[in-house]
Amino acid sequence: MAVKKSLASKKIEFKLSAPKANWVGVAGDFNSWKPDSLTAKKDKNGIWRASASVPTGTYEYKFVVDGSWIVDPGCSRRTINSFGSENSVLVVK
């Protein structure tokens, strides 16, 4: 008998325009804040994209661009984190 997962997941694409960047990762509470676990790839237009299957829920995240942690400029939802700066907020339904 197969065990059903109670949480549904949805494929989420993160994208960021950073044509001069050498490396971009996505870190959030959905991947234990490990940017190396979700690295983005750059297209010819300088847009970095990364996709992940994320369970339904509300998550905080940031992009890591060449070592600098930044909020997602394409995400209007933000919250203050424990460091006094902002995190982007992702809601997966």
Side-chain angles (χ1 to χ4, degrees):
M1 180 183 208
V3 178
K4 275 189 169 180
K5 288 187 177 178
S6 59
L7 289 177
S9 290
K10 191 178 244 184
K11 189 161 186 145
I12 302 297
E13 183 182 61
F14 299 91
K15 61 184 182 179
L16 176 72
S17 176
K20 295 182 176 164
N22 295 307
W23 187 88
V24 173
V26 183
D29 47 15
F30 54 84
N31 69 353
S32 302
W33 293 97
K34 294 178 180 171
D36 290 343
S37 71
L38 183 54
T39 56
K41 291 189 178 6
K42 183 167 69 169
D43 68 18
K44 64 183 184 338
N45 299 316
I47 306 295
W48 293 81
R49 298 173 195 272
S51 294
S53 187
V54 181
T56 55
T58 301
Y59 302 93
E60 295 180 26
Y61 72 99
K62 280 189 160 179
F63 284 106
V64 182
V65 181
D66 295 335
S68 297
W69 293 65
I70 65 164
V71 293
D72 181 349
C75 178
S76 60
R77 288 186 174 171
R78 307 255 167 95
T79 189
I80 301 296
N81 63 31
S82 60
F83 301 105
S85 63
E86 291 185 322
N87 289 342
S88 299
V89 176
L90 168 68
V91 177
V92 181
K93 295 182 180 183

